[in-house]
Amino acid sequence: MEIVIANKSHIVYADIICKTIEDAAQVRGTGIAKRKPEYVATKMENGNAVIALQNGEFAGFCYIEKWGHGKFVANSGLIVHPNYRNIGLSKKIKQKIFEHSRTKFPDAKVFSITTGFAVMKLNSDLGYKPVPFSELTDDQSFWDGCQTCRNYDVLTRTDRKMCLCTGMLFDPAKIKKEEKTPFKEKTFQRLKRIKQALFLKKNKE
């Protein structure tokens, strides 16, 4: 398996990357923002993406987004093709894109919003901490990107204070490797159930 920083030569994979992301969103029934091939291609051209290939066949992908004039970066669009799941590939891609982010933007805070427990576990292992949305970027263009997510109405109803996603943050100025807190999936599952119950109650009202 080859996991490398993407470049112009990998643009040919942009279509299948976007299709895989869209299919995953439908299967999971969770909020995954859609991306167009042109957007993915730009990330590759700028050296802000990681791609995994197996003998020239697309296996996985993730890219970097920069917000707030470089004060924040996000590792977004993490996806593994169905043919290569359950072999630990997502962890390797996440590690690669995180290291690339830290090298390219050493002073930036790295953040994530996700509903997936697997991604939360990966983030936690890298030193991310759960935080309220208020500690994430206030760059409007980032939050505008959530409009293609099926849960966007939840985000707007709460004045962008919370959603079904959980916010996580790696702050290089505060977090040390030895201070990482073990990931507790039950805690995140409970938090998600509370959020879902809260929004369902508001909908009924």
Side-chain angles (χ1 to χ4, degrees):
M1 182 70 67
E2 181 184 26
I3 304 175
V4 299
I5 306 303
N7 55 52
K8 290 182 179 180
S9 69
H10 298 111
I11 291 177
V12 293
Y13 298 99
D15 285 329
I16 189 173
I17 289 171
C18 293
K19 182 65 166 57
T20 305
I21 292 174
E22 183 177 356
D23 289 346
Q26 293 177 351
V27 171
R28 297 174 192 171
T30 56
I32 301 179
K34 296 180 181 179
R35 289 292 180 257
K36 295 181 179 180
E38 295 80 8
Y39 184 84
V40 170
T42 299
K43 293 298 178 183
M44 293 176 172
E45 291 176 335
N46 294 338
N48 288 333
V50 164
I51 190 168
L53 302 170
Q54 179 66 34
N55 297 324
E57 184 175 75
F58 169 67
F61 181 76
C62 192
Y63 60 87
I64 300 171
E65 290 182 302
K66 183 173 63 173
W67 308 102
H69 304 290
K71 294 181 180 179
F72 291 86
V73 297
N75 298 157
S76 304
L78 176 62
I79 191 68
V80 172
H81 191 278
N83 294 345
Y84 296 96
R85 289 174 185 165
N86 302 314
I87 61 172
L89 182 56
S90 60
K91 183 175 182 178
K92 293 179 180 179
I93 295 173
K94 183 72 175 180
Q95 182 72 44
K96 183 76 171 181
I97 195 71
F98 180 75
E99 292 174 353
H100 185 45
S101 300
R102 296 287 295 116
T103 299
K104 196 166 186 179
F105 307 101
D107 298 322
K109 296 179 181 180
V110 189
F111 73 98
S112 169
I113 60 170
T114 181
T115 58
F117 295 120
V119 176
M120 292 178 197
K121 174 65 167 61
L122 294 176
N123 288 343
S124 181
D125 288 345
L126 291 170
Y128 288 68
K129 304 290 184 182
V131 295
F133 283 4
S134 60
E135 290 192 31
L136 306 181
T137 179
D138 60 358
D139 193 320
Q140 186 60 44
S141 57
F142 168 78
W143 299 103
D144 287 345
C146 293
Q147 292 180 19
T148 57
C149 174
R150 62 186 298 171
N151 299 321
Y152 184 65
D153 67 307
V154 177
L155 188 66
T156 55
R157 292 205 313 269
T158 61
D159 294 325
R160 213 172 68 193
K161 293 179 180 178
M162 63 185 299
C163 191
L164 295 186
C165 281
T166 295
M168 301 188 75
L169 181 72
F170 175 93
D171 187 344
K174 297 180 180 179
I175 300 178
K176 298 180 182 179
K177 187 175 182 181
E178 62 270 20
E179 295 175 344
K180 291 189 297 185
T181 302
F183 176 81
K184 296 182 180 180
E185 183 173 326
K186 289 184 178 179
T187 300
F188 284 98
Q189 288 178 329
R190 181 171 179 272
L191 176 61
K192 186 175 181 179
R193 287 196 297 270
I194 291 173
K195 288 182 179 181
Q196 290 175 328
L198 175 63
F199 297 131
L200 286 174
K201 181 180 179 180
K202 287 186 176 181
N203 284 338
K204 289 181 180 179
E205 293 175 349

